[in-house]
């Protein structure tokens, strides 16, 4: 049989045809290979994958500490519409573990409505090879509930640890500076209560580890020494479980900035043979001292000080005002300090006698003839100190007549309106009400601290200064029922401008905004 070459043989291909069926509900043609007799739209209408998930729930909020209850007994801090609060809300829903969460977000509600709404999107496999996605809303009712820590704060004798900070000095300048450091670093956030006492502050805590954290912070920013004591509250004889109260006594060194000190001769030799009569320039985690005659600096660490403690020879309450008559820089400098010879006279002696003193000072960069300066008048002063008496016997030539401390700026009697302010801690007063003279002294110490912040740039760098919301009074104010005339106001403004033209000022760039700080803390 002959084969015709003109005839071509085509290969056989087998095609798989897909069956098409009608939806059992709406009659629409659908793919029959899925094994489901309903279309996707009918499946969404008839199948609810969110069935069994709560649509309403209750969350508890403590108004005392702004924390939310995370069952069973844990309280967490979370801002409104934050990720932490969203996670807490999702944990409160029963049945949410059976589905897959795709998205969750807050729906805005009125802040005073006590309602929090969350929109949740979930996925689940309804049938074989059929995955559904559905969104629904959940409404949470905010119920106020007092946490155990806040409940303890309103009940006596509920603290478990106390940190007693003390300093035996006649003023509160060191505690004012320490208060600003605590506020800046938020070191008091775990306190149950803060009480102000005669010589310091008491910090109360509900847990012992919070108190030890506070002691470590104080040791990092100030030269202190601490002692721990414990008191047995109760014991269980069956389980041998004991409950204690812990008290940490923290003592600050009795030396402050601008104090005049006389260190022991043995310690002075060990510090590089520095002169014993020194000026305290700074208090950090160590004591910074300087010799104003040579600009020689030295630091005394906490351990070295408490091995041989000494008190200050004179503090800022003993400062005397001097008038600068003549000044001659000598050349040596160290940072902002410039060594100079100054001729001074006491401001109280200017009208009675012509007594002058030629002294050496470290303030050669800021003093000019005619300026006022505050210093210690050592000649004729009654200084009861054993180390100073020893210095008088061995080296009387090293004792100058006057030691200048800082420049004095002319100020008004009343506090001028400041464009900045400092935050203060909320403290409870002691059981005995403060006397009137104690209140006046506290106000005087606070005003002195504010002036020191204005004058010391280095000190301002360690603090947090905020913009003041207080506005200056209008020009036409009434005083004692009499309205000032325009001429009187012009004269007073001129006098004030001349009086305060050389006062140090704080630029607005150095000030913070309280609302911005709150937003940063909320985001953190």
């Amino acid at each position: 049989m002959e084969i015709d070459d003109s005839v071509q043989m085509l290969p056989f291909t087998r095609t798989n045809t897909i069956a098409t069926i009608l939806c059992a509900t709406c009659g629409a043609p659908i793919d029959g290979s899925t094994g489901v007799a309903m279309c996707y739209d009918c499946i969404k209408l008839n199948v609810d994958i969110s069935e069994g998930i709560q649509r309403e729930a209750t969350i508890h909020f403590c108004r005392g500490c702004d924390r939310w209850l995370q069952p069973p007994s844990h309280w967490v801090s979370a801002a409104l519409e934050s990720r932490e609060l969203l996670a807490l809300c999702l944990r409160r829903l029963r049945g949410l573990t059976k589905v897959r969460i795709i998205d969750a977000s807050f729906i805005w509600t009125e802040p005073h409505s006590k309602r929090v709404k969350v929109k949740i999107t979930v996925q689940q496999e309804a049938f074989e090879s059929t995955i559904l996605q559905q969104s629904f809303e959940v409404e949470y009712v905010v119920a106020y509930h007092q946490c155990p820590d806040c409940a303890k704060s309103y009940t006596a004798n509920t603290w478990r640890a106390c940190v007693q900070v003390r300093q035996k000095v006649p003023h509160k300048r060191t505690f004012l500076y320490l208060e600003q450091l605590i506020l800046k670093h938020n070191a008091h956030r775990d306190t149950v209560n803060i009480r102000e006492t005669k010589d310091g502050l008491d910090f109360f805590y509900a847990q012992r580890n919070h108190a030890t954290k506070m002691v470590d912070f104080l040791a990092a920013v100030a030269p202190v020494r601490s002692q721990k004591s414990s008191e047995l509250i109760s014991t269980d004889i069956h389980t041998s479980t004991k409950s204690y109260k812990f008290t940490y006594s923290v003592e600050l060194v009795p030396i402050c900035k601008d104090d005049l000190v006389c260190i022991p001769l043995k310690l002075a030799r060990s510090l590089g043979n520095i002169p014993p009569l020194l000026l305290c320039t700074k208090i950090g985690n160590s004591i910074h001292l300087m010799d104003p005659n040579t600009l020689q600096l030295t630091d005394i660490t906490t351990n070295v000080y408490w091995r041989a403690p000494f008190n200050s020879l004179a503090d800022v309450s003993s400062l005397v005002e001097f008038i600068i008559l003549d000044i001659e820089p000598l050349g040596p400098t160290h940072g902002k300090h410039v060594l100079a010879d100054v001729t001074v006279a006491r401001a109280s002696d200017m009208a009675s006698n012509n007594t002058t003193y030629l002294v050496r000072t470290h303030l050669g960069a800021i003093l000019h003839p005619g300026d006022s300066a505050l210093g210690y008048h050592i000649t004729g002063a009654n200084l009861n100190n054993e180390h100073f008496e020893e210095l008088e016997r061995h080296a009387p030539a090293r004792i100058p007549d006057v030691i200048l401390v800082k420049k004095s700026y002319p100020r008004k009697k009343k506090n001028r309106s400041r464009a900045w302010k400092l935050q203060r801690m909320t403290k409870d007063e002691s059981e005995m009400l403060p006397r009137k003279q104690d209140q006046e002294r506290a106000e005087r110490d606070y005003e002195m601290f504010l002036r020191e912040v204005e004058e010391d740039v280095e000190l301002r760098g360690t603090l947090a200064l905020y913009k003041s919301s207080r506005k200056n009074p209008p020009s036409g104010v009434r005083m004692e029922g009499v309205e000032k005339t325009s001429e009187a106001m012009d004269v007073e403004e001129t006098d004030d401008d001349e009086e305060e033209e050389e006062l140090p000022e704080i630029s607005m760039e150095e000030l913070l905004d309280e609302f911005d700080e709150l937003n940063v803390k909320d985001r953190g």
Side-chain angles (χ1 to χ4, degrees), residues 330-455:
L330 299 179
T333 60
H334 191 282
K336 63 179 181 179
H337 302 305
V338 176
L339 197 64
D341 284 339
V342 185
T343 303
V344 299
R346 283 205 312 177
S348 58
D349 295 341
M350 293 296 291
S352 58
N353 55 58
N354 297 325
T355 304
T356 60
Y357 304 94
L358 179 61
V359 297
R360 186 161 293 180
T361 180
H362 61 289
L363 304 175
I366 59 176
L367 292 181
H368 304 88
D371 291 344
S372 298
L374 299 178
Y376 296 106
H377 191 203
I378 302 178
T379 302
N382 186 10
L383 302 175
N384 188 10
N385 187 281
E386 57 180 351
H387 304 303
F388 185 72
E389 295 175 357
E390 184 179 1
L391 179 63
E392 286 182 323
R393 291 193 303 266
H394 292 82
R398 290 189 173 186
I399 303 177
D401 297 329
V402 175
I403 295 181
L404 299 181
V405 178
K406 59 183 179 179
K407 183 178 179 179
S408 177
Y409 296 92
R411 297 178 182 269
K412 295 186 297 185
K413 295 182 179 180
K414 293 184 178 181
N415 300 339
R416 65 188 182 95
S417 57
R418 294 184 171 91
W420 59 276
K421 64 178 180 179
L422 297 174
Q423 290 183 342
R424 301 299 301 273
M425 287 191 304
T426 303
K427 302 181 289 292
D428 293 340
E429 296 181 351
S430 58
E431 297 179 357
M432 298 182 60
L433 295 176
R435 298 175 300 176
K436 183 178 180 180
Q437 54 266 34
D438 294 337
Q439 295 178 354
E440 295 176 354
R441 186 178 63 180
E443 295 176 359
R444 185 171 60 254
D445 292 341
Y446 187 65
E447 175 63 22
M448 185 182 301
F449 178 72
L450 294 180
R451 294 182 179 182
E452 187 176 352
V453 172
E454 291 176 340
E455 298 171 4

Side-chain angles (χ1 to χ4, degrees), residues 176-182 184 420 422 449 452-453 456-466 510 512:
L176 292 172
Y177 175 66
L178 191 62
E179 177 185 6
Q180 297 303 317
L181 291 180
I182 292 174
K184 182 179 180 180
W420 59 276
L422 297 174
F449 178 72
E452 187 176 352
V453 172
D456 195 343
V457 180
E458 185 179 356
L459 177 63
R460 291 202 301 267
T462 60
L463 306 180
L465 279 66
Y466 297 90
E510 302 181 44
L512 304 175

Side-chain angles (χ1 to χ4, degrees), residues 196-263:
E196 186 175 6
T197 59
K198 179 182 178 182
D199 294 324
L201 296 171
D202 291 343
F203 298 88
F204 297 93
Y205 297 90
Q207 299 180 17
R208 179 186 175 186
N209 58 341
H210 294 161
T212 56
K213 188 186 300 183
M214 184 64 174
V215 174
D216 295 340
F217 173 79
L218 294 176
V221 299
V224 300
R225 66 174 177 181
S226 60
Q227 294 180 351
K228 184 187 74 172
S229 61
S230 59
E231 177 185 358
L232 179 64
I233 301 176
S234 61
T235 181
D236 189 352
I237 60 175
H238 302 287
T239 60
S240 299
T241 303
K242 299 179 181 179
S243 179
Y244 289 93
K245 277 187 176 181
F246 298 92
T247 302
Y248 295 87
S249 177
V250 180
E251 182 181 359
L252 279 75
V253 295
I255 297 175
C256 304
K257 183 176 179 292
D258 297 334
D259 284 0
L260 183 65
V261 298
C262 184
I263 63 177

Side-chain angles (χ1 to χ4, degrees), residues 99-119:
V99 295
R100 180 185 178 186
I101 302 176
I102 299 300
D103 188 21
S105 60
F106 286 99
I107 300 176
W108 185 86
T109 56
E110 291 287 345
H112 60 274
S113 63
K114 299 183 182 179
R115 298 293 188 271
V116 176
K117 292 185 178 181
V118 179
K119 182 180 180 182

Side-chain angles (χ1 to χ4, degrees), residues 47-92:
V47 180
D48 186 10
I49 62 176
S50 63
E51 186 179 3
I53 302 177
Q54 292 178 273
R55 294 297 195 274
E56 293 182 356
T58 303
I59 52 178
H60 298 279
F61 177 72
C62 178
R63 289 183 290 181
C65 58
D66 294 340
R67 293 189 299 175
W68 304 84
L69 174 62
Q70 180 177 330
S73 60
H74 187 56
W75 291 83
V76 296
S77 299
L80 289 175
E81 299 189 3
S82 63
R83 298 177 59 184
E84 293 80 7
L85 182 58
L86 182 61
L88 187 145
C89 292
L90 295 178
R91 294 192 189 101
R92 296 302 307 272

